Amino acid sequence: MAILQKHGKNSSPDLANVKESPADNFGASGCQKKWAESSSNWSRPVARVWTVVLLLGTCLLYCARVAMPICAVTMAEQFQWTKRESGMVLGSFFWGYCFTQVIGGYISDRVGGEKVLLLSAAAWGAMTAFTPILAHFCSQPIVSMTLARFLMGLLQGVHYPSLASLCSQKVVESERGFLMSTVGSGSYLGTLVIGGAGSLMLDLYGWESVFYVAGLLSVLWAYCMWKYLLKGEGPIITLESLGSRGTQSKLTRRNWLRLFKQPAVCAVIVTHLCTASTFFTLLSWLPTFFKDTFPDAKGWVFNVIPWFVAIPSSLFSGCLSDHLISQGFDTASVRKLMQFFSMGVSSVFTLCLCGTTTFPTAVAFVSATMGLTTFSHSGVSVNVQDLAPSCAGALFGVMNTCGAFSGVIMVYLCGYLIEATGSWASVFMLITVVNILGLAIFLAFAEARRVDIDGAKGRYHNIHI
């Protein structure tokens, strides 16, 4: 039986050791195991179908998530909430969102990300649809809405880790960038859809209609996914299935500590932390920046145009990264290039906001910043799947949890800077510094070779029989 080295940048040159270890011998069972692993990937037509379905799912995820912020003012007037109480309702989502990131990815790595996505979507979709009922039939709406938003955060917190796990298990390396960037653009599409259609429904039919439509459409999406993609297979998650992923699962549990000692893994976590914190800061403070700097500007302009730019930008970054990898460019270099655009080039436009004097110029700079930021979908967000496909969901959960916590801290810090200095320039400079720090770490330490398997097994990854 001939053993041939796969050509590529992640190949290991040390083939001499393959025949020295008894554990490294490949028999018929080893060949079958390798064939099973390669055949578990989706074919290109199947991957395209899943890409569209997951794009719609992420769009509905944000429709359900943003329904409360859109209706918050109207609900506050009806239930006589103070600003502090409204903030408590809106902020409770974040705390639930942080708690399920890691566990959602952990379960997805073991039972399959599609099952976790299906169950969670059915749950948060139903929760969204029942939100008006909880508000009207509870004697203390502030309590029921706070708990409902907390549960929404818990249920939606598993979405992105499950996506990362599913992509690492089913999508080949050269197509991951397109899938993740396309699915990631669903967040911008969902924000646009609920911002336009939701505002219209709010004016015509009341705030309840926004929750009913977003929730029922989400449940319908989950049903269609179960019926037509999973072929009606029961999405049952048992305790046995959580521990039945065989050698790969045991290996992952045994090497978590070693995994976090890898410089490339630490670089991914820190870079994602910086990316998420700056994105949350821009998302939170840009509307206030426009209202303070250009009080006569129309809100729909600066709330809509940047997201229209972000959608094609995200799609382009995915196509570009996959094309470069398919042409033979080093995977790690492509990930670094995408992250350079996301954090480096975007920071140039962020700094330009410091001296902006006209509204059209400010909108152009913000649109360029938000559009370039989406390149991270083909950079650090996919790099975690290159490094640890066997536990990409759990590792992405760790990254997202760190990013969410750091984002909240940075949002508060920027509020303090605005009050202390009275200048928006300090905020934009802080964002730039954080971006440059994360980019420098990623450029210095990022890799694209697998680090979730030990040295002996690492040679198997790039060997063909």
Side-chain angles (χ1 to χ4, degrees):
M1 181 178 294
I3 299 179
L4 301 177
Q5 181 75 24
K6 178 180 178 181
H7 296 286
K9 50 271 178 190
N10 295 332
S11 300
S12 173
D14 186 13
L15 286 179
N17 293 331
V18 172
K19 58 184 180 180
E20 293 178 0
S21 173
D24 292 349
N25 291 332
F26 280 93
S29 60
C31 182
Q32 292 173 359
K33 179 180 179 181
K34 196 66 184 178
W35 170 255
E37 290 177 355
S38 62
S39 62
S40 66
N41 289 331
W42 290 328
S43 63
R44 178 163 294 182
V46 173
R48 293 294 180 259
V49 173
W50 272 96
T51 299
V52 174
V53 171
L54 295 175
L55 168 65
L56 293 176
T58 304
C59 176
L60 290 170
L61 177 92
Y62 268 78
C63 287
R65 181 181 300 184
V66 182
M68 179 64 78
I70 287 179
C71 301
V73 175
T74 304
M75 295 176 68
E77 294 176 354
Q78 178 176 340
F79 298 116
Q80 298 180 343
W81 293 343
T82 64
K83 293 292 185 183
R84 182 179 179 182
E85 289 173 331
S86 297
M88 182 174 64
V89 172
L90 294 173
S92 59
F93 174 90
F94 160 76
W95 297 109
Y97 188 73
C98 289
F99 287 143
T100 52
Q101 295 282 333
V102 178
I103 188 64
Y106 179 87
I107 295 175
S108 298
D109 290 335
R110 278 144 186 80
V111 303
E114 66 277 10
K115 291 185 177 181
V116 179
L117 284 171
L118 173 60
L119 291 174
S120 65
W124 56 255
M127 175 62 67
T128 304
F130 276 103
T131 296
I133 299 175
L134 294 173
H136 285 299
F137 287 93
C138 182
S139 58
Q140 296 291 333
I142 184 66
V143 176
S144 62
M145 291 298 94
T146 300
L147 291 176
R149 290 296 291 176
F150 178 78
L151 289 175
M152 276 288 291
L154 285 176
L155 295 170
Q156 290 198 351
V158 305
H159 185 83
Y160 282 104
S162 298
L163 281 179
S165 177
L166 181 62
C167 184
S168 68
Q169 295 169 6
K170 299 293 186 179
V171 183
V172 296
E173 180 184 71
S174 61
E175 297 181 0
R176 289 173 184 168
F178 175 78
L179 187 144
M180 289 300 290
S181 62
T182 302
V183 173
S185 67
S187 61
Y188 315 122
L189 179 62
T191 303
L192 283 174
V193 169
I194 197 65
S199 299
L200 185 62
M201 288 188 292
L202 177 65
D203 294 336
L204 296 178
Y205 307 108
W207 64 268
E208 295 89 348
S209 63
V210 180
F211 288 94
Y212 289 142
V213 172
L216 292 177
L217 285 178
S218 301
V219 173
L220 178 61
W221 175 84
Y223 172 78
C224 291
M225 176 182 170
W226 170 75
K227 182 71 174 179
Y228 298 106
L229 288 184
L230 300 183
K231 307 300 182 183
E233 179 185 352
I236 305 301
I237 298 177
T238 63
L239 292 178
E240 292 183 3
S241 65
L242 294 179
S244 62
R245 285 300 292 261
T247 305
Q248 188 180 55
S249 176
K250 294 178 181 178
L251 184 65
T252 301
R253 287 196 299 268
R254 189 168 63 245
N255 287 313
W256 266 109
L257 183 59
R258 183 184 63 85
L259 195 65
F260 284 118
K261 292 181 179 179
Q262 296 287 336
V265 173
C266 294
V268 164
I269 294 175
V270 173
T271 304
H272 184 80
L273 182 152
C274 294
T275 301
S277 60
T278 54
F279 178 78
F280 287 147
T281 302
L282 290 171
L283 194 65
S284 301
W285 286 112
L286 280 178
T288 306
F289 162 74
F290 278 107
K291 289 181 181 178
D292 289 351
T293 311
F294 310 101
D296 297 328
K298 295 185 180 298
W300 69 267
V301 176
F302 57 79
N303 282 328
V304 170
I305 291 181
W307 304 114
F308 269 121
V309 174
I311 293 174
S313 176
S314 179
L315 296 175
F316 172 74
S317 70
C319 293
L320 177 60
S321 66
D322 286 353
H323 174 72
L324 292 176
I325 293 175
S326 66
Q327 293 299 310
F329 287 90
D330 179 60
T331 302
S333 299
V334 173
R335 304 298 185 222
K336 292 178 181 180
L337 177 64
M338 297 297 106
Q339 205 60 33
F340 173 76
F341 281 107
S342 175
M343 305 183 80
V345 181
S346 69
S347 294
V348 175
F349 292 98
T350 303
L351 281 178
C352 290
L353 289 170
C354 297
T356 302
T357 56
T358 63
F359 178 67
T361 305
V363 172
F365 287 152
V366 168
S367 299
T369 298
M370 301 307 293
L372 288 166
T373 300
T374 64
F375 276 61
S376 65
H377 292 313
S378 304
V380 65
S381 296
V382 186
N383 189 223
V384 64
Q385 301 167 28
D386 302 325
L387 296 174
S390 67
C391 55
L395 187 55
F396 191 88
V398 173
M399 294 164 51
N400 233 17
T401 300
C402 295
F405 275 118
S406 64
V408 171
I409 294 173
M410 190 163 171
V411 168
Y412 280 116
L413 179 59
C414 288
Y416 171 78
L417 287 176
I418 295 170
E419 291 185 358
T421 64
S423 171
W424 284 95
S426 59
V427 173
F428 297 133
M429 285 189 289
L430 175 62
I431 291 173
T432 301
V433 170
V434 173
N435 271 337
I436 297 302
L437 174 63
L439 177 61
I441 293 175
F442 193 76
L443 293 178
F445 299 105
E447 299 178 10
R449 62 179 179 84
R450 288 193 64 170
V451 297
D452 60 337
I453 49 181
D454 57 29
K457 294 182 183 291
R459 287 187 290 273
Y460 295 169
H461 181 59
N462 291 317
I463 295 176
H464 283 182
I465 306 301

